[in-house]
Amino acid sequence: MRDLDDEPVIHAMRYACAGGKGLRGFFVLESAALHGIAVGNAIAAAAAIEAMHAYSLVHDDLPCMDNDDLRRGLPTVHRKWDDAVAVLAGDALQTLAFDLLTDPALGPHRLPLIAGMARAAGARGMVLGQALDIAAETATAPLTLPQITRLQAGKTGALFEWSATAGAVLAGADPAPLGRYAAAMGLAFQIADDILDVTGNADKAGKRLGKDAQAGKATFVSLMGLDGARARASALIDEAKTALSPYGARANNMIAAARFVIARES
């Protein structure tokens, strides 16, 4: 039997997971630490969300979706291999995420974590957001601010919320404060993305910029103006910080991460 490590799809999976900020995995581990959960009892969940995120990027980059040639400064998976390998690598990364979440080390609350991942990544979360985004490209009128906010709550925010609340779920604790943090931080992240699409450096971002404007799509910047978008992102980070107040100084790393979200260049 051929060694699986020789299969193009396996190479493509590893390629898709290389680089990046690892922000979602970071939130899993930090939220776990807030609830006294050791890294070894949360690392599988952190790996799972990174696999799920990698899958979403591979599929989003496909010609039938966002049609991107560059990701993290390198050719996208379908450009380095082909569309079929990219589809299969994405499929395999998605199933790997759920496989990782069955790890007994995650403890007795891993079933709610699995269910939450299914909701966040599926037709009520990320997939819905992507579908709304694709529909917006051919809509007769640009999206309104509430419509864009709803779109991004699925496309970007759902996986952020899963990540930030994972520690509370694993501990059987109330995830509401971390959920409020994630909602504010996730929206700020997307506003920062829209700002980068206008003002960023493509070499630093590692991807093509300006594509929203070229497609005539409404964004937070086009609807609020550059200064308005920056002010809204800053206010959201303040909201995220306030949401973490029950955790005191133990949440300093998550506060710093929220600030990074609007200060990043990629």
Side-chain angles (χ1 to χ4, degrees), residues 27-123:
F27 286 133
V28 170
L29 296 180
E30 284 298 318
S31 67
L34 286 179
H35 294 86
I37 297 173
V39 170
N41 296 116
I43 194 66
I49 192 62
E50 289 299 324
M52 184 64 74
H53 179 52
Y55 132 73
S56 75
L57 297 182
V58 172
H59 280 198
D60 283 359
D61 288 339
L62 286 166
C64 63
M65 303 277 272
D66 290 347
N67 194 25
D68 276 316
D69 297 333
L70 197 67
R71 173 71 65 179
R72 297 170 178 169
L74 296 170
T76 48
V77 172
H78 70 278
R79 289 300 181 195
K80 187 170 177 64
W81 283 275
D82 55 38
D83 289 8
V85 169
V87 169
L88 293 172
D91 290 346
L93 285 165
Q94 183 193 54
T95 57
L96 174 61
F98 289 105
D99 186 12
L100 288 164
L101 290 177
T102 66
D103 188 337
L106 293 173
H109 299 291
R110 61 187 182 276
L111 185 57
L113 205 64
I114 294 169
M117 175 74 87
R119 289 190 294 269

Side-chain angles (χ1 to χ4, degrees), residues 1 10 12 30 48 73 77 107 142 152 154 180 197 202 212 224 229 258-259:
M1 182 175 177
I10 303 299
E30 284 298 318
V77 172
Q152 297 303 344
R180 289 190 292 272
D197 198 55
D212 289 339
M224 303 174 72
R259 290 175 178 148

Side-chain angles (χ1 to χ4, degrees), residues 8-255:
V9 70
I10 303 299
H11 290 292
M13 290 170 68
R14 290 174 176 152
Y15 181 86
C17 292
K21 294 176 282 294
L23 199 55
R24 292 156 188 80
F26 169 86
F27 286 133
V28 170
L29 296 180
E30 284 298 318
S31 67
L34 286 179
H35 294 86
I37 297 173
V39 170
N41 296 116
I43 194 66
I49 192 62
E50 289 299 324
M52 184 64 74
H53 179 52
Y55 132 73
S56 75
L57 297 182
V58 172
H59 280 198
D60 283 359
D61 288 339
L62 286 166
C64 63
M65 303 277 272
D66 290 347
N67 194 25
D68 276 316
D69 297 333
L70 197 67
R71 173 71 65 179
R72 297 170 178 169
L74 296 170
T76 48
V77 172
H78 70 278
R79 289 300 181 195
K80 187 170 177 64
W81 283 275
D82 55 38
D83 289 8
V85 169
V87 169
L88 293 172
D91 290 346
L93 285 165
Q94 183 193 54
T95 57
L96 174 61
F98 289 105
D99 186 12
L100 288 164
L101 290 177
T102 66
D103 188 337
L106 293 173
H109 299 291
R110 61 187 182 276
L111 185 57
L113 205 64
I114 294 169
M117 175 74 87
R119 289 190 294 269
R124 286 181 282 178
M126 182 180 66
V127 167
L128 173 61
Q130 182 67 9
L132 294 172
D133 196 26
I134 292 171
E137 294 179 0
T138 55
T140 55
L143 297 184
T144 64
L145 192 58
Q147 288 173 325
I148 291 179
T149 301
R150 176 178 177 243
L151 183 162
Q152 297 303 344
K155 184 174 180 179
T156 304
L159 290 191
F160 270 130
E161 181 176 358
W162 186 92
S163 305
T165 59
V169 173
L170 286 172
D174 181 12
L178 288 169
R180 289 190 292 272
Y181 164 84
M185 185 273 303
L187 184 54
F189 183 96
Q190 186 55 51
I191 293 174
D193 254 12
D194 285 357
I195 292 170
L196 280 173
D197 198 55
V198 174
T199 66
N201 180 294
D203 290 336
K204 290 182 179 179
K207 60 183 179 181
R208 179 165 54 96
L209 300 179
K211 59 183 180 180
D212 289 339
Q214 292 170 12
K217 291 169 61 175
T219 67
F220 289 105
V221 172
S222 69
L223 293 174
M224 303 174 72
L226 195 54
D227 289 341
R230 284 173 171 154
R232 179 60 179 143
S234 181
L236 284 164
I237 295 307
D238 289 339
E239 289 180 26
K241 179 179 177 181
T242 299
L244 293 175
S245 58
Y247 303 104
R250 292 182 295 130
N252 283 347
N253 284 346
M254 295 190 78
I255 292 171

